[in-house]
Coordinates of all heavy atoms in Angstrom, one line a residue:
F126 N -158.8 -309.3 156.1 CA -158.5 -308.0 155.6 C -159.8 -307.4 154.9 O -159.7 -306.3 154.3 CB -157.4 -308.1 154.6 CG -156.0 -308.3 155.2 CD1 -155.5 -309.5 155.4 CD2 -155.4 -307.2 155.7 CE1 -154.3 -309.7 156.0 CE2 -154.1 -307.3 156.3 CZ -153.6 -308.6 156.5
N127 N -160.9 -308.1 154.9 CA -162.1 -307.6 154.2 C -162.9 -306.8 155.2 O -164.0 -306.3 154.8 CB -162.9 -308.8 153.7 CG -162.2 -309.5 152.6 OD1 -161.6 -308.8 151.7 ND2 -162.2 -310.8 152.6
V131 N -160.1 -302.1 158.3 CA -158.7 -302.3 157.9 C -158.2 -301.2 157.0 O -158.9 -300.9 156.0 CB -158.6 -303.7 157.2 CG1 -157.2 -304.0 156.7 CG2 -159.0 -304.8 158.1
P132 N -157.1 -300.6 157.2 CA -156.5 -299.6 156.4 C -156.4 -300.0 154.9 O -156.0 -301.2 154.7 CB -155.2 -299.2 157.0 CG -155.3 -299.6 158.4 CD -156.2 -300.8 158.4
F133 N -156.6 -299.1 154.0 CA -156.6 -299.5 152.6 C -155.2 -300.1 152.2 O -155.2 -301.1 151.5 CB -156.8 -298.2 151.7 CG -156.7 -298.4 150.3 CD1 -157.8 -298.9 149.5 CD2 -155.6 -298.1 149.6 CE1 -157.7 -299.1 148.1 CE2 -155.5 -298.3 148.2 CZ -156.5 -298.8 147.5
K134 N -154.1 -299.4 152.7 CA -152.8 -299.9 152.2 C -152.5 -301.3 152.8 O -151.9 -302.1 152.2 CB -151.7 -299.0 152.7 CG -151.6 -298.8 154.2 CD -150.5 -297.9 154.6 CE -150.3 -297.8 156.2 NZ -149.2 -296.9 156.6
S135 N -153.1 -301.7 154.0 CA -152.9 -303.0 154.5 C -153.7 -304.0 153.8 O -153.2 -305.1 153.5 CB -153.3 -303.0 156.0 OG -152.4 -302.2 156.7
R136 N -154.9 -303.7 153.5 CA -155.8 -304.6 152.7 C -155.3 -305.0 151.4 O -155.1 -306.2 151.1 CB -157.2 -304.0 152.6 CG -158.2 -304.9 151.8 CD -159.5 -304.3 151.6 NE -160.2 -303.8 152.8 CZ -160.4 -302.5 153.1 NH1 -159.9 -301.6 152.3 NH2 -161.0 -302.2 154.2
N137 N -155.0 -304.0 150.5 CA -154.6 -304.2 149.2 C -153.1 -304.7 149.1 O -152.8 -305.5 148.3 CB -154.8 -303.0 148.4 CG -156.3 -302.7 148.2 OD1 -156.9 -303.2 147.3 ND2 -156.8 -301.8 148.9
G138 N -152.3 -304.1 150.0 CA -150.8 -304.5 149.9 C -150.7 -306.0 150.3 O -149.9 -306.7 149.6
N139 N -151.4 -306.5 151.3 CA -151.3 -307.9 151.7 C -151.8 -308.8 150.5 O -151.2 -309.9 150.3 CB -152.0 -308.2 153.0 CG -151.6 -309.5 153.5 OD1 -150.6 -309.7 154.2 ND2 -152.5 -310.5 153.3
K140 N -152.9 -308.5 149.9 CA -153.5 -309.3 148.8 C -152.5 -309.4 147.7 O -152.3 -310.5 147.1 CB -154.8 -308.8 148.4 CG -155.9 -308.9 149.4 CD -157.3 -308.4 148.9 CE -158.3 -308.6 149.9 NZ -159.6 -308.0 149.4
I141 N -151.9 -308.3 147.3 CA -150.9 -308.3 146.2 C -149.7 -309.1 146.6 O -149.2 -309.9 145.8 CB -150.5 -306.8 145.9 CG1 -151.6 -306.1 145.3 CG2 -149.3 -306.8 144.9 CD1 -151.4 -304.6 145.1
T142 N -149.2 -309.0 147.8 CA -148.0 -309.7 148.2 C -148.3 -311.2 148.3 O -147.5 -312.0 147.9 CB -147.6 -309.2 149.6 OG1 -147.3 -307.8 149.6 CG2 -146.3 -309.9 150.0
S143 N -149.5 -311.6 148.7 CA -149.9 -313.0 148.8 C -149.9 -313.6 147.4 O -149.5 -314.7 147.1 CB -151.2 -313.2 149.5 OG -151.2 -312.8 150.9
T144 N -150.5 -312.8 146.4 CA -150.6 -313.3 145.1 C -149.2 -313.5 144.4 O -148.9 -314.5 143.8 CB -151.4 -312.4 144.2 OG1 -152.7 -312.2 144.8 CG2 -151.5 -312.9 142.8
T157 N -149.2 -312.5 154.7 CA -147.8 -312.6 154.7 C -147.1 -311.7 155.7 O -145.9 -311.9 156.0 CB -147.2 -312.2 153.2 OG1 -147.7 -310.9 153.0 CG2 -147.8 -313.2 152.2
Y206 N -156.7 -302.8 164.4 CA -156.0 -301.6 163.9 C -156.5 -300.4 164.7 O -157.6 -299.8 164.5 CB -156.3 -301.4 162.4 CG -155.6 -302.4 161.5 CD1 -156.2 -303.4 160.9 CD2 -154.2 -302.2 161.3 CE1 -155.5 -304.3 160.1 CE2 -153.5 -303.0 160.5 CZ -154.2 -304.1 159.9 OH -153.5 -305.0 159.1
Y225 N -140.3 -306.6 149.2 CA -140.4 -307.0 147.7 C -139.0 -307.4 147.1 O -138.9 -308.2 146.2 CB -141.1 -306.0 146.9 CG -142.6 -306.1 146.9 CD1 -143.4 -305.4 147.9 CD2 -143.2 -307.1 146.1 CE1 -144.7 -305.6 147.9 CE2 -144.6 -307.3 146.2 CZ -145.3 -306.5 147.1 OH -146.7 -306.7 147.1

Side-chain angles (χ1 to χ4, degrees):
F126 288 96
N127 293 317
V131 175
F133 177 83
K134 65 179 182 180
S135 297
R136 178 188 300 114
N137 292 278
N139 193 80
K140 289 181 179 179
I141 293 172
T142 305
S143 295
T144 302
T157 59
Y206 284 104
Y225 273 94

